[in-house]
Amino acid sequence: MGTHDSISSVQHDLEQPSHAGGHGSNGIDELDESRLAQFGYKQELNRDWGLAHNFGVSFSIISVITGLTTLFSYGLATGGPAVMSISWIVISFFTLLVAIAMAEIVSAIPTSGGPYFWSAMLAPPRWSPFLAWLTGWFNLLGQVAVTTGITFGLAGLVSTAITVKNPDYEPTAAKTIGIYAALLVSHGVVNTFGVKGLRFLNNVSIVLHSAGITALCIAVLAKAPKLQSAKFVFGTYHDGTAAEEGTEGWGQRASPAYVVLCGALLSQYTLTGFDASAHLSEETKNASWSAPIGVVSSVGFSSLFGFFVLMALLFSIQDFESTLNSKYGQPVLQILVDVAGEDGALVLFSLIMLCVWHCGLFSMTSNSRMMFSFARDRGIPSFFHQVDDRFKSPIRTVWLAATLSFILALPSLGSDVAFAAATSIATIGLYLSYGLPIMIGFFWHKNFTAMKGPFNLGALSRVIAGAACLWICFITVVFCLPTANPVTSQTLNYTVVAVGIIAVGSIGSWVVWARRWFTGPAAEVAEAMRLGIDITEPGALEKKEKEALEGARMEGEREAREREEKQAPAVSE
């Protein structure tokens, strides 16, 4: 450890984007493959995505219309319009800090492993395997929960839409689970056989999420019989956290501030999933620049666009009570019905559901890439480290993602707050996996400085990283809190259970057996990254280590001579 600290930081020889174009597409491809080789990996996935595609995947997974639509009822009941609108502004700011801190790491380490790989590279050798293991499992949990939250939410929307023209249809939990399974299968099939078509679907998704939803919002605002006042949107507080009639909500039992904190889940859950740009970096050209820009731009644009969508929906509410207690059980659908009638509402709602379907599709894409990389480093069985030669898809991890997502939704058969819990799990799991490598880079900044890429924050690096870590610690506590009163088996927020199982399970399995064989990314690769050298250069690592040892030996000899010189006068006296 001491010899490593004496080595000066070496900046990686990466081309800035303005220069990369001079190499041509083949030159950029060679740079990307060479960069991946420095991590000890060969190019296995097709690298044919550009910056726009990389941005599009994260933008589609963030999918502001997905989070807002599926959690709109939760938001109205847990704080109301005031909490929904103001918390969006606050949370967008802190989420952007997390994204900027993450982007700097992505630029240095653009691999599909994402957070767990970053932890391994940034941590000191002694802690590297353990922190990679812990980060990997939190990221896996968050990825699975995000896919669950998105697609299970879509299943609920489909069930609701059916009731508009079929009032006799009863959307039971079992029926919703069946629809959910069918949707997961559709995502799995496309990710298995349609990898070449994912770029096309990505472009479609960008158009649907931007132009399509913009048109929807403008149409709703223009056709609304009346628009609410700014006082209503920014000043209406509502506490609907009482689970049973006659009981008090958390605003009375605890404090309105408690309700405000719980209500922030809508905004924070919506602004998740932007690590997809990192997980797809091995399929992205000029990844050291495109991937971090994809991370930051997707969060920045989603924050602004999401605020516009949220304002359009809140200002278009015709009657708060009838919207909150909609006969359809879906306040966004109620807003559309009040504005455009049932037929028009179904057309607009179908556009929303199509956007949510694309969101779920690319969530599974990102999820499967993370699992593929984790299996490559033996975080999960190596059986899942396989790319189909014909379709160029990690098919085994695609269906592993689908299976785990289905299992995570099963508690909905017996819980009234299962969906809210799934979104909390997704939020906490993902943000913990974002926060761990950011925290490691903050505390062991010299290691990080030696490997920074073209997206470099300079003196602001540790300031932004520190703020991001504090925010993640804060929301981790808040979103484990119960959201309905009284707390019963039906209203328990089992987020703390799921996150606790992963925390205890990952740490316990590490202590018992994983520490004996899991090394994370190859040790020599991690060491080369810390020393800032190219591992693909023959003998480079050995040469650097030899120089370090020689420097340590010379330093030791110098200190010995100084001690002898100090002792010499004393002896002569």
Side-chain angles (χ1 to χ4, degrees):
M1 290 291 292
T3 59
H4 298 161
D5 293 340
S6 65
I7 299 172
S8 61
S9 299
V10 181
Q11 188 75 14
H12 285 296
D13 186 18
L14 293 172
E15 297 289 335
Q16 293 287 349
S18 58
H19 300 150
H23 294 282
S25 60
N26 290 336
I28 292 175
D29 290 343
E30 290 175 2
L31 285 173
D32 286 327
E33 292 186 20
S34 174
R35 184 69 169 141
L36 187 59
Q38 291 176 17
F39 303 135
Y41 302 132
K42 65 179 181 178
Q43 186 72 46
E44 297 180 271
L45 301 167
N46 277 346
R47 192 182 288 273
D48 55 1
W49 296 63
L51 171 57
H53 298 109
N54 185 281
F55 158 82
V57 171
S58 282
F59 180 64
S60 295
I61 292 177
I62 292 175
S63 181
V64 293
I65 193 63
T66 296
L68 291 177
T69 302
T70 55
L71 278 179
F72 206 82
S73 178
Y74 174 89
L76 289 179
T78 317
V83 173
M84 295 168 73
S85 56
I86 296 173
S87 70
W88 184 274
I89 298 171
V90 174
I91 285 174
S92 292
F93 172 76
F94 285 103
T95 302
L96 191 59
L97 291 183
V98 176
I100 292 171
M102 178 193 290
E104 188 177 37
I105 300 176
V106 175
S107 181
I109 315 170
T111 73
S112 62
Y116 90 85
F117 194 96
W118 306 335
S119 291
M121 293 295 102
L122 295 170
R126 179 184 176 186
W127 295 100
S128 177
F130 169 67
L131 290 173
W133 175 264
L134 187 64
T135 306
W137 278 104
F138 274 122
N139 192 234
L140 190 149
L141 171 69
Q143 290 270 340
V144 171
V146 162
T147 302
T148 301
I150 295 167
T151 310
F152 188 72
L154 176 57
L157 299 183
V158 172
S159 292
T160 300
I162 294 174
T163 64
V164 175
K165 291 297 184 180
N166 299 276
D168 294 332
Y169 176 80
E170 184 180 354
T172 63
K175 291 177 182 177
T176 303
I177 281 287
I179 297 172
Y180 173 58
L183 291 170
L184 285 175
V185 169
S186 71
H187 292 154
V189 168
V190 174
N191 273 290
T192 297
F193 302 112
V195 172
K196 292 184 178 179
L198 284 176
R199 278 197 301 167
F200 169 75
L201 290 173
N202 185 37
N203 292 335
V204 171
S205 181
I206 294 174
V207 173
L208 288 173
H209 278 87
S210 53
I213 298 302
T214 298
L216 181 149
C217 292
I218 292 174
V220 169
L221 288 169
K223 195 166 176 57
K226 69 172 184 178
L227 294 177
Q228 294 289 348
S229 65
K231 181 179 179 181
F232 169 83
V233 172
F234 293 98
T236 301
Y237 166 82
H238 176 75
D239 179 9
T241 56
E244 301 172 0
E245 189 173 345
T247 60
E248 58 184 7
W250 282 112
Q252 291 76 42
R253 181 178 176 182
S255 165
Y258 183 96
V259 178
V260 170
L261 293 176
C262 291
L265 174 64
L266 177 144
S267 301
Q268 192 67 79
Y269 166 69
T270 301
L271 296 174
T272 56
F274 47 89
D275 58 322
S277 290
H279 293 302
L280 289 169
S281 58
E282 290 184 29
E283 298 165 75
T284 302
K285 296 180 180 181
N286 198 19
S288 291
W289 182 255
S290 297
I293 295 300
V295 169
V296 176
S297 60
S298 63
V299 173
F301 187 76
S302 294
S303 297
L304 295 174
F305 185 63
F307 186 72
F308 164 69
V309 175
L310 180 61
M311 291 299 99
L313 293 174
L314 290 176
F315 273 104
S316 299
I317 292 175
Q318 300 304 297
D319 180 82
F320 181 76
E321 289 299 328
S322 63
T323 301
L324 178 62
N325 302 305
S326 170
K327 66 178 183 179
Y328 306 110
Q330 217 317 314
V332 172
L333 178 58
Q334 184 66 56
I335 293 172
L336 299 180
V337 170
D338 291 343
V339 169
E342 287 190 345
D343 292 337
L346 281 177
V347 173
L348 297 175
F349 205 61
S350 295
L351 172 61
I352 293 175
M353 290 190 291
L354 192 57
C355 288
V356 180
W357 184 86
H358 280 83
C359 177
L361 172 70
F362 288 107
S363 176
M364 186 174 290
T365 303
S366 174
N367 196 344
S368 63
R369 269 50 174 185
M370 181 272 161
M371 291 178 176
F372 165 80
S373 185
F374 205 31
R376 181 169 60 188
D377 290 316
R378 300 195 305 162
I380 58 177
S382 57
F383 168 81
F384 294 105
H385 175 221
Q386 189 262 357
V387 176
D388 184 82
D389 292 333
R390 180 180 177 185
F391 298 107
K392 295 298 181 182
S393 170
I395 293 176
R396 293 175 182 175
T397 53
V398 166
W399 291 101
L400 175 62
T403 302
L404 293 177
S405 296
F406 179 77
I407 292 172
L408 190 59
L410 290 179
S412 67
L413 294 172
S415 173
D416 296 334
V417 295
F419 180 72
T423 58
S424 292
I425 293 168
T427 304
I428 293 174
L430 280 183
Y431 275 93
L432 282 176
S433 70
Y434 300 167
L436 282 169
I438 294 173
M439 180 190 69
I440 294 167
F442 177 85
F443 285 110
W444 288 285
H445 199 65
K446 184 176 290 187
N447 289 347
F448 185 24
T449 302
M451 60 182 77
K452 285 188 178 181
F455 189 93
N456 191 331
L457 299 176
L460 292 175
S461 179
R462 298 187 82 176
V463 175
I464 293 176
C469 289
L470 290 175
W471 177 251
I472 291 170
C473 290
F474 173 70
I475 63 174
T476 298
V477 175
V478 167
F479 297 145
C480 283
L481 299 173
T483 57
N485 182 54
V487 179
T488 66
S489 60
Q490 293 293 308
T491 62
L492 174 68
N493 181 356
Y494 66 89
T495 301
V496 67
V497 178
V499 174
I501 288 174
I502 289 295
V504 174
S506 57
I507 295 173
S509 61
W510 175 261
V511 172
V512 174
W513 53 280
R515 62 188 175 88
R516 300 173 185 171
W517 53 266
F518 180 77
T519 60
E524 62 270 19
V525 175
E527 185 64 9
M529 289 288 291
R530 294 186 193 95
L531 298 178
I533 63 176
D534 185 353
I535 197 171
T536 61
E537 179 184 339
L541 180 59
E542 291 79 2
K543 180 181 178 181
K544 202 70 173 180
E545 289 179 338
K546 184 177 180 181
E547 291 176 356
L549 290 172
E550 180 65 20
R553 185 185 63 79
M554 293 177 65
E555 178 67 16
E557 291 177 352
R558 185 185 63 79
E559 292 177 354
R561 286 196 300 271
E562 289 178 353
R563 286 195 299 270
E564 291 175 357
E565 290 172 358
K566 290 179 180 179
Q567 293 172 357
V571 172
S572 60
E573 291 175 4

